[in-house]
Amino acid sequence: MLMLRFQRVGKKKHPSYRLVVSEKAKDTQSGSLENLGIYNPTVNPKVIELKKDRINYWLSVGAQLSASVNNLFVNQGMIKGDKKKSVFLSKKRKEKLAVKKTAEEVKKA
């Protein structure tokens, strides 16, 4: 299955991203089929350069969007719909956060 997703490029602690089309099973750093634009969130204002006609082509062929790319497209108004949750929290981590939150509530009371 083809995915539209980000490929991280740039220096340490100064990321910029390429929007690429690649196989879902492959690593993002391995060969991609096509470069569809760039996204640089570290500068002000954020740089977003997208090839909208090529993105629409890949979506029409059946390529899927990663959660982060979907959220970017919703912000840009390219697609309609809700944002997806892009950060995964394991069950163990959720439990730790719940314990921490209850401890803070007890401390305040």
Side-chain angles (χ1 to χ4, degrees):
M1 176 180 11
L2 295 175
M3 293 284 292
L4 271 69
R5 56 189 181 174
F6 288 125
Q7 178 184 31
R8 184 186 161 125
V9 292
K11 294 180 183 180
K12 221 189 271 188
K13 299 193 181 186
H14 294 284
S16 60
Y17 301 93
R18 286 185 191 144
L19 180 64
V20 296
V21 178
S22 64
E23 282 290 328
K24 184 176 183 177
K26 285 189 175 183
D27 183 32
T28 58
Q29 298 299 323
S30 65
S32 59
L33 298 175
E34 187 175 353
N35 185 4
L36 300 175
I38 61 168
Y39 173 57
N40 189 351
T42 58
V43 295
N44 194 8
K46 296 178 181 179
V47 175
I48 302 170
E49 295 176 10
L50 303 172
K51 298 177 186 174
K52 294 182 181 180
D53 57 332
R54 294 303 298 165
I55 290 169
N56 290 331
Y57 165 76
W58 283 107
L59 291 175
S60 69
V61 170
Q64 300 294 312
L65 300 173
S66 71
S68 299
V69 171
N70 180 66
N71 295 343
L72 177 69
F73 286 176
V74 169
N75 284 343
Q76 293 295 309
M78 290 181 63
I79 60 172
K80 303 230 185 288
D82 296 330
K83 289 187 174 184
K84 294 182 180 176
K85 191 169 187 176
S86 59
V87 177
F88 175 75
L89 295 176
S90 67
K91 190 175 182 181
K92 186 177 180 181
R93 181 68 180 148
K94 286 179 186 177
E95 290 171 359
K96 282 185 177 180
L97 290 173
V99 168
K100 187 176 180 180
K101 186 175 180 180
T102 55
E104 287 177 6
E105 290 174 0
V106 169
K107 190 175 181 181
K108 285 183 180 179

